């Protein structure tokens, strides 16, 4: 496919061409440092989930030597990249954003072919991708992430205190796995890549096999940005491979010092085990499984229950339910008001058409999970969405489903806590507030929890809130969980199994902290100190000096 936006781009040997076809033609290539490489271990094709047709061209898959080369280049680039001025690092992130935008509408067209997602959704996702990169450029310029801290020597004290200075430094090369449900924002140049590059870590991406052409286009944009900004060769690479072995080999390579992953619980835990079994264990920041409970408190149900139902259904089916913040659980008190909400939700859901799911594998898993739910005693199917709506009348169409059970049934069936990746949700009718709190306490870790409440619900909400603080990463009141703002205060994480490390977030400015570690400098000669720790503060950073925050 020939794309339309003009740009210059380095060829296989690093030389630049001013030929838009050279830049824009998808060649089935990976990026290893400055080289566009066609892997020779095998071949893959992308797949259109709406038409069930393969998409040209063939993509070569990485050999063992390709993977080793990418990791070794990243290791060689690590010290040079982290030593670069913060302004140069920030400009690199901004240039990546500019290069992604320069690809133009064909990036959206290719992503739509490979994912079945509508153009409007992908345009919004591209905007989020670009904004993430720009946010982290600002974070880098601010320098607060370095946490520069100085404690002056106290030679007269008994015992004397030495001169102590601390800053954060990057961990080293990071392996990033592209996600199935966000071909741009959680993929090649998505949040994990942006935050790792911002921290000063080279990145080796394993492209998701569902988005091969999209991944190549974005990876070549990153490569061009790296060349233009004078980055060391190994600062970025992207590999393509089939099966689990390439991911295992990437996480197991000794050059890799951390991992960013978004996907299934099984996949995330497999990477955690590999990373823990290395001679040098490394952290895996895996976002995995969440059903995102939504609590309907009595006052909210009484005041606006029927009007909340369409909003809940819209959140449930958004993106065919393939958001990690999809509301897969609704909890309320049994009675007429919950019955009215249920009826309104069923009516709204019945009008929702089936949408194309991201991959054939995701669609099959969804269909199998819905079939399995049908055999759970005490679980009632309340409503299904309508059938296939895509023009071809075929493809990976996901039909929404809403179920109902009482709290005792839910508490007795661990299977009802399992995430169904798609537009399915379970409503739980509790006998009283005590049972509602019991359900909340029973839940596994989640990315989000939503509470709909009025002033009449302050008592129960006050009891619920500390429980949710222990269970989730983000608590919403009177809203819906789908939609994650990229900002300084956002937390997109949570206790296991939502993530493998509840201390972190994969979205927002503090995502950079995953890829940093502190280093203390004791009595180091001033000439050898990093600039952020020198007395003159040449970078003009906000620093903590003898326990007091000082700006500039």
């Amino acid at each position: 496919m020939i794309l339309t936006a003009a740009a210059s781009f380095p060829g296989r040997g690093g030389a630049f061409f001013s030929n838009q076809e050279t830049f824009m033609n998808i060649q089935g290539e990976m990026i290893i440092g400055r080289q566009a490489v066609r892997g020779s271990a095998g071949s893959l094709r992308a797949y259109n989930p709406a038409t069930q047709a393969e998409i040209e061209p063939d993509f070569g898959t990485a050999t063992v030597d390709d993977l080793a080369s990418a990791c070794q280049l990243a290791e060689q680039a690590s010290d040079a990249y982290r030593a670069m001025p913060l302004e140069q690092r920030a400009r690199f992130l901004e240039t990546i954003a500019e290069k992604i935008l320069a690809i133009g509408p064909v990036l959206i067209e290719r992503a739509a072919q490979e994912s079945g997602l509508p153009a409007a959704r992908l345009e919004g996702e591209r905007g989020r991708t670009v904004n993430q990169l720009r946010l982290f450029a600002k974070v880098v310029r601010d320098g607060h992430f370095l946490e520069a801290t100085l404690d002056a020597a106290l030679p007269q004290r008994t015992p004397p205190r030495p001169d102590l200075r601390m800053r954060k430094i990057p961990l080293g090369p990071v392996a990033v796995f592209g996600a199935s449900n966000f071909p741009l924002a959680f993929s090649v140049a998505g949040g994990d890549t942006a935050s790792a590059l911002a921290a000063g870590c080279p990145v080796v991406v394993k492209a998701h096999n569902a988005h091969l052409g999209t991944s190549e286009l974005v990876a070549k944009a990153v490569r061009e940005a790296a060349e233009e900004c004078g980055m060391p060769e190994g600062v970025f690479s992207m590999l393509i491979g089939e099966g689990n072995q390439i991911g295992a080999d990437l996480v197991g390579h000794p050059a890799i010092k951390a991992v960013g992953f978004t996907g299934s619980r099984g996949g995330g835990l497999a990477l955690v085990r590999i990373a823990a079994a290395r001679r040098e264990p490394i952290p895996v920041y895996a976002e995995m499984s969440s059903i995102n409970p939504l609590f309907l408190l009595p006052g909210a149900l009484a005041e606006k229950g029927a009007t909340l139902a369409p909003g809940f259904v819209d959140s449930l089916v958004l993106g065919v339910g393939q958001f990690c913040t999809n509301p897969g659980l609704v909890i309320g008190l049994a009675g007429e008001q919950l019955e009215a909400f249920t009826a309104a939700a069923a009516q709204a859901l019945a009008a929702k058409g089936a949408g194309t799911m991201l991959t054939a594998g995701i669609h099959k898993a969804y269909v199998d999970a819905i079939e399995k739910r049908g055999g759970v005693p005490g679980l009632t199917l309340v409503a299904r969405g309508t059938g296939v709506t895509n023009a071809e009348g075929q493809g990976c169409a996901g039909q929404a489903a809403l179920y109902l059970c009482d709290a005792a049934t839910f508490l007795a069936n661990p299977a009802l806590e399992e995430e169904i990746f798609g537009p399915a949700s379970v409503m739980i009718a509790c006998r009283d507030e005590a049972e509602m709190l019991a359900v909340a306490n029973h839940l596994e870790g989640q990315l989000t929890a939503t509470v709909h409440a009025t002033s009449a619900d302050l008592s129960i909400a006050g009891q619920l809130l500390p429980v949710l603080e222990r269970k989730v990463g983000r608590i919403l009141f009177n809203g819906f969980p789908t939609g994650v703002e990229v900002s300084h205060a956002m937390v997109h994480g949570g206790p296991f199994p939502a993530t493998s490390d509840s201390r972190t977030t994969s979205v927002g400015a503090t995502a950079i902290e995953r890829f940093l570690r502190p280093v203390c400098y004791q009595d180091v000669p001033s000439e050898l100190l990093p600039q952020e720790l020198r007395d003159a503060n040449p970078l003009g950073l906000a620093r903590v000096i003898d326990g007091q925050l000082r700006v500039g």
Side-chain angles (χ1 to χ4, degrees):
M1 176 163 66
I2 305 297
L3 309 185
T4 56
S8 61
F9 207 79
R12 290 173 180 256
F16 278 85
F17 296 86
S18 296
N19 182 321
Q20 75 176 48
E21 291 191 5
T22 301
F23 174 56
M24 289 300 184
N25 193 20
I26 297 174
Q27 300 283 351
E29 295 172 327
M30 306 176 293
I31 298 299
I32 300 179
R34 296 195 182 102
Q35 309 297 315
V37 176
R38 185 174 178 84
S40 59
S43 66
L44 294 171
R45 278 196 180 185
Y47 171 91
N48 187 321
T51 65
Q52 297 181 315
E54 291 183 339
I55 309 171
E56 294 183 340
D58 291 334
F59 288 77
T61 58
T63 65
V64 172
D65 288 343
D66 291 331
L67 187 146
S69 177
C71 292
Q72 289 162 6
L73 283 171
E75 186 174 41
Q76 293 164 11
S78 188
D79 282 344
Y81 180 54
R82 73 182 180 91
M84 285 185 162
L86 296 181
E87 175 59 33
Q88 191 171 359
R89 196 188 303 175
R91 185 60 194 144
F92 175 38
L93 295 168
E94 291 170 337
T95 304
I96 296 172
E98 293 165 5
K99 299 299 181 183
I100 290 172
L101 290 174
I103 298 172
V106 257
L107 177 62
I108 304 302
E109 293 167 12
R110 180 71 186 205
Q113 286 183 340
E114 293 181 331
S115 67
L117 295 171
R121 150 73 195 272
L122 290 165
E123 287 166 356
E125 188 181 332
R126 178 178 59 187
R128 171 176 167 169
T129 305
V130 168
N131 289 339
Q132 287 174 161
L133 289 158
R134 290 171 174 165
L135 172 69
F136 281 110
K138 182 180 185 301
V139 169
V140 170
R141 283 195 179 94
D142 289 344
H144 301 327
F145 72 98
L146 297 167
E147 295 187 21
T149 305
L150 289 71
D151 291 330
L154 299 175
Q156 305 306 319
R157 196 192 69 176
T158 303
R161 185 176 79 182
D163 180 271
L164 299 170
R165 304 174 188 228
M166 186 273 287
R167 67 163 177 165
K168 296 284 187 72
I169 70 166
L171 293 177
V174 173
V176 170
F177 288 76
S180 64
N181 58 338
F182 283 90
L184 298 173
F186 273 84
S187 191
V188 172
D192 287 341
T193 295
S195 55
L197 290 174
C201 299
V203 170
V204 180
V205 173
K206 161 58 175 69
H208 197 284
N209 290 349
H211 315 132
L212 295 172
T214 305
S215 296
E216 180 182 331
L217 291 172
V218 174
K220 288 181 173 178
V222 178
R223 182 184 69 163
E224 185 181 11
E227 287 269 7
E228 187 173 300
C229 295
M231 296 293 114
E233 180 179 3
V235 73
F236 173 84
S237 293
M238 183 200 75
L239 302 172
I240 293 170
E242 187 172 16
N244 297 328
Q245 192 58 51
I246 183 173
D249 290 346
L250 181 58
V251 174
H253 195 283
I256 299 299
K257 302 302 180 186
V259 178
F261 171 86
T262 299
S264 68
R265 187 189 305 202
L269 291 180
L271 298 183
V272 168
R273 287 191 291 269
I274 293 167
R278 289 175 28 145
R279 181 176 181 181
E280 176 199 4
I282 59 173
V284 175
Y285 300 110
E287 180 198 318
M288 299 180 293
S289 175
S290 184
I291 55 175
N292 307 296
L294 188 151
F295 291 84
L296 300 171
L297 300 189
L301 268 179
E303 183 176 311
K304 51 185 178 179
T307 60
L308 286 175
F312 155 67
V313 170
D314 287 344
S315 181
L316 174 64
V317 303
L318 185 65
V320 201
Q322 297 165 117
F323 283 82
C324 43
T325 51
N326 176 42
L329 202 63
V330 181
I331 304 103
L333 298 188
E336 292 182 1
Q337 292 159 354
L338 184 61
E339 290 171 2
F341 174 90
T342 303
Q347 182 178 4
L349 190 76
K352 297 295 184 181
T356 300
M357 302 194 80
L358 291 160
T359 70
I362 288 172
H363 177 252
K364 183 180 186 305
Y366 178 71
V367 172
D368 290 347
I370 293 297
E371 183 177 350
K372 182 179 176 182
R373 282 273 163 95
V376 176
L379 185 69
T380 301
L381 178 64
V382 172
R384 293 297 305 268
T386 58
V388 176
T389 60
N390 51 298
E392 295 82 2
Q394 57 183 1
C396 303
Q399 186 180 1
L402 181 63
Y403 298 89
L404 175 67
C405 68
D406 60 24
T409 298
F410 176 78
L411 293 170
N413 286 274
L416 295 180
E417 295 183 69
E418 295 176 1
E419 179 188 36
I420 294 182
F421 193 60
S425 189
V426 176
M427 298 185 58
I428 302 174
C430 300
R431 294 171 302 183
D432 50 32
E433 292 180 355
E435 194 166 57
M436 179 180 284
L437 289 170
V439 169
N441 274 293
H442 175 81
L443 292 172
E444 294 184 306
Q446 309 290 335
L447 292 170
T448 75
T450 301
V451 180
H452 282 274
T454 66
S455 57
D457 298 312
L458 291 180
S459 176
I460 181 61
Q463 298 175 67
L464 189 59
L465 189 58
V467 178
L468 299 182
E469 287 173 339
R470 290 189 280 106
K471 296 288 183 176
V472 312
R474 177 165 59 108
I475 303 168
L476 302 83
F477 268 69
N478 298 324
F480 295 99
T482 40
V484 181
E485 185 69 27
V486 179
S487 67
H488 290 270
M490 176 52 63
V491 173
H492 190 62
F496 181 86
T499 67
S500 58
D501 190 331
S502 64
R503 298 168 296 178
T504 67
T505 175
S506 62
V507 178
T510 53
I512 195 173
E513 295 175 3
R514 297 174 296 170
F515 306 119
L516 298 165
R517 68 175 180 87
V519 174
C520 180
Y521 300 78
Q522 180 172 324
D523 291 332
V524 172
S526 59
E527 297 85 356
L528 298 179
L529 285 170
Q531 292 192 52
E532 53 265 39
L533 297 182
R534 294 184 179 183
D535 289 336
N537 193 12
L539 300 182
L541 301 178
R543 307 190 297 183
V544 175
I545 300 178
D546 293 328
Q548 300 295 317
L549 178 62
R550 300 187 184 178
V551 180

